Amino acid sequence: MRTTLADIAREAGVSTATVDRVLNNRDGVKERTRDRVLTVAGKLGYVEEGARPVLPASLASLPGGIVDLDIVLPGGTNTFINNLAARFADTAAVRPDVNLRIHSIEGFEPVLLAEKLEALRGKSQGVGLIGLDHPVVREAIRSLAGSGVPVMTLISDISHVPRVGYVGIDNRAAGRLAGYLLGRFMKAETGKVALFAGSLSYRGHEEREMGFRHMLREEYPGLSIVELREIRDDTERAYSEAVALLARYPDLAGIYNIGAGNRGISRALQEAGREKSVVFIGHELTEHTRRFLISGTMDAAIDQNPRVEAREAVDRLARAARGEENPSGPATRLQAIFKENIPEV
């Protein structure tokens, strides 16, 4: 079956009008977008009448040729992380200039992550990772970057390390938004609220907690946080902790889940018959959270776009590997987009 403009547009994440402008060499398209469209067109074997397959000329002249990149992600039952890994694979499939390897490790074991980073020394030209903000991880990043390998943090940033950038949302703003939504959805001005987090050793989770607490203190002082439970982003652990929490606080009015584990918390709420009385705010729109939102078990899910994040990370890492990326450059466009589309709550 012949590849269509719609096929190229869907894979490249642009409109068919943009694809048409690129393939007909018209103005009004950024160079990075043009290269992405042409790369996808070549990968899909798109051929115009009487023409050769379209490939970006820039690929042939890239310094260093194909670059070897590595993405290190936490394993487990986190649906968002699994979706992110799939989006990285999709991105690699349309980037002939990149050889992308995806690694999965135990996400709450900093020593294992540090060992993986050390093992990539001399084998990788660029590394992206989601990791705990832990001394051994920071030291491993410093060592890897010191050997000349660009390192990029993903989804959750890591402080005081020589990284070429961070790709992800503004997690403090996300926490503030969660607090704003929970306060708006509550039926009373006073009430008890509980938090769940994968681990506060993830800087992103810590920042979300900070933003949430600040919002409640500023706008909803009648809401009190009675507990914060760390569940290591595990569905079964989230379930058992939620069961215990609901038994301890029969008057609990709200839950904010900072990380993964929404399936376990939703199951506990449903079994207790409290899915309609407890306001439940979480993160990421997945096949599971979509179902909970429709049923009313969850009241809101603050989403981010793994497809955009994977594409942004691979692009910036590839450019850094070729010496094109400015390590002290501005924050990723995703942070700016996130801030532009959320009120300063």
Side-chain angles (χ1 to χ4, degrees):
M1 184 178 295
R2 184 185 176 96
T3 299
T4 66
L5 296 188
D7 295 330
I8 299 171
R10 183 172 56 254
E11 290 296 323
V14 300
S15 68
T16 53
T18 297
V19 174
D20 182 70
R21 285 196 297 272
V22 171
L23 296 182
N24 288 285
N25 200 29
R26 291 198 292 267
D27 294 334
V29 182
K30 293 181 179 178
E31 186 62 30
R32 286 171 60 188
T33 302
R34 184 180 298 277
D35 270 5
R36 185 165 73 248
V37 169
L38 292 175
T39 299
V40 171
K43 191 75 174 181
L44 296 179
Y46 181 82
V47 182
E48 289 193 289
E49 294 294 338
R52 294 174 297 173
V54 181
L55 284 173
S58 56
L59 284 182
S61 59
L62 282 174
I66 297 175
V67 294
D68 293 319
L69 303 180
D70 292 88
I71 303 296
V72 184
L73 303 175
T77 60
N78 189 325
T79 305
F80 170 75
I81 297 299
N82 294 334
N83 287 344
L84 180 64
R87 300 294 78 77
F88 270 114
D90 291 343
T91 300
V94 295
R95 289 290 303 256
D97 62 320
V98 168
N99 177 33
L100 188 71
R101 298 171 295 230
I102 302 172
H103 310 268
S104 178
I105 65 164
E106 168 53 54
F108 297 92
E109 296 294 339
V111 174
L112 293 180
L113 175 56
E115 290 174 350
K116 170 57 71 175
L117 295 179
E118 181 63 30
L120 292 174
R121 182 202 295 265
K123 300 177 181 178
S124 180
Q125 293 173 271
V127 175
L129 74 146
I130 299 177
L132 299 176
D133 194 349
H134 188 278
V136 299
V137 175
R138 291 195 293 270
E139 188 57 34
I141 291 174
R142 293 187 190 108
S143 175
L144 189 60
S147 71
V149 178
V151 178
M152 175 169 288
T153 54
L154 311 171
I155 311 303
S156 180
D157 206 0
I158 297 175
S159 58
H160 309 301
V161 293
R163 56 169 178 66
V164 296
Y166 161 70
V167 171
I169 63 173
D170 183 328
N171 284 300
R172 188 173 183 278
R176 288 181 63 83
L177 177 59
Y180 174 77
L181 292 173
L182 187 139
R184 286 291 301 271
F185 291 163
M186 294 280 284
K187 295 181 174 64
E189 294 184 358
T190 60
K192 295 178 181 178
V193 177
L195 277 68
F196 290 85
S199 171
L200 294 184
S201 293
Y202 277 118
R203 181 175 167 183
H205 286 195
E206 181 184 30
E207 290 172 343
R208 289 178 185 179
E209 182 207 3
M210 290 170 55
F212 183 83
R213 288 183 182 273
H214 288 170
M215 175 52 62
L216 262 57
R217 186 164 56 247
E218 294 167 10
E219 300 294 335
Y220 306 102
L223 301 181
S224 59
I225 298 174
V226 293
E227 281 199 37
L228 187 155
R229 300 194 174 202
E230 295 189 48
I231 55 177
R232 298 173 70 91
D233 285 348
D234 180 78
T235 298
E236 289 304 314
R237 184 164 177 172
Y239 168 72
S240 61
E241 291 287 351
V243 168
L245 184 79
L246 293 170
R248 183 172 183 180
Y249 299 100
D251 56 345
L252 188 73
I255 289 175
Y256 172 39
N257 183 25
I258 292 172
N262 292 314
R263 279 178 286 169
I265 297 170
S266 294
R267 177 182 161 199
L269 285 169
Q270 291 167 347
E271 289 181 359
R274 296 172 66 180
E275 69 272 23
K276 302 297 184 181
S277 61
V278 176
V279 176
F280 179 20
I281 309 295
H283 284 266
E284 317 313 344
L285 186 62
T286 67
E287 63 268 31
H288 305 295
T289 57
R290 188 186 300 275
R291 186 173 71 252
F292 301 142
L293 288 166
I294 292 173
S295 70
T297 303
M298 284 188 77
D299 294 275
I302 301 169
D303 194 33
Q304 54 189 312
N305 192 327
R307 184 180 298 277
V308 173
E309 288 166 329
R311 192 166 60 217
E312 179 84 3
V314 170
D315 183 69
R316 295 189 66 187
L317 267 178
R319 289 190 288 123
R322 295 187 175 99
E324 302 170 14
E325 180 80 359
N326 178 10
S328 60
T332 174
R333 293 195 306 274
L334 289 165
Q335 291 175 283
I337 292 170
F338 191 78
K339 289 179 178 178
E340 287 172 4
N341 289 278
I342 291 180
E344 185 55 38
V345 296

mmCIF file of all heavy atoms in Angstrom, residues 54 86 97 164 262 345:
data_model
loop_
_atom_site.group_PDB
_atom_site.id
_atom_site.type_symbol
_atom_site.label_atom_id
_atom_site.label_comp_id
_atom_site.label_asym_id
_atom_site.label_seq_id
_atom_site.Cartn_x
_atom_site.Cartn_y
_atom_site.Cartn_z
ATOM 1 N N VAL A 54 12.485 10.267 -0.789
ATOM 2 C CA VAL A 54 12.890 11.523 -0.164
ATOM 3 C C VAL A 54 13.674 11.243 1.108
ATOM 4 O O VAL A 54 13.221 10.529 1.981
ATOM 5 C CB VAL A 54 11.643 12.374 0.180
ATOM 6 C CG1 VAL A 54 12.062 13.689 0.814
ATOM 7 C CG2 VAL A 54 10.826 12.626 -1.065
ATOM 8 N N ALA A 86 7.838 2.870 24.848
ATOM 9 C CA ALA A 86 7.302 2.579 23.515
ATOM 10 C C ALA A 86 7.451 3.775 22.582
ATOM 11 O O ALA A 86 7.747 3.621 21.392
ATOM 12 C CB ALA A 86 5.834 2.172 23.623
ATOM 13 N N ASP A 97 19.478 8.269 11.717
ATOM 14 C CA ASP A 97 20.759 8.805 12.176
ATOM 15 C C ASP A 97 21.076 8.399 13.602
ATOM 16 O O ASP A 97 22.119 8.773 14.144
ATOM 17 C CB ASP A 97 20.750 10.336 12.076
ATOM 18 C CG ASP A 97 19.679 10.962 12.961
ATOM 19 O OD1 ASP A 97 18.564 10.391 13.028
ATOM 20 O OD2 ASP A 97 19.946 12.000 13.599
ATOM 21 N N VAL A 164 23.158 18.052 29.920
ATOM 22 C CA VAL A 164 22.963 18.941 28.776
ATOM 23 C C VAL A 164 21.548 19.488 28.727
ATOM 24 O O VAL A 164 21.250 20.380 27.936
ATOM 25 C CB VAL A 164 23.284 18.231 27.444
ATOM 26 C CG1 VAL A 164 24.742 17.848 27.378
ATOM 27 C CG2 VAL A 164 22.381 17.022 27.224
ATOM 28 N N ASN A 262 -2.089 4.386 40.383
ATOM 29 C CA ASN A 262 -3.501 4.779 40.349
ATOM 30 C C ASN A 262 -4.441 3.581 40.340
ATOM 31 O O ASN A 262 -5.536 3.641 40.902
ATOM 32 C CB ASN A 262 -3.778 5.645 39.109
ATOM 33 C CG ASN A 262 -3.094 6.991 39.194
ATOM 34 O OD1 ASN A 262 -3.137 7.667 40.213
ATOM 35 N ND2 ASN A 262 -2.449 7.404 38.108
ATOM 36 N N VAL A 345 -1.616 29.124 39.306
ATOM 37 C CA VAL A 345 -2.457 28.836 40.452
ATOM 38 C C VAL A 345 -1.605 28.549 41.668
ATOM 39 O O VAL A 345 -0.414 28.337 41.575
ATOM 40 C CB VAL A 345 -3.390 27.613 40.163
ATOM 41 C CG1 VAL A 345 -4.334 27.986 39.051
ATOM 42 C CG2 VAL A 345 -2.581 26.404 39.776
#
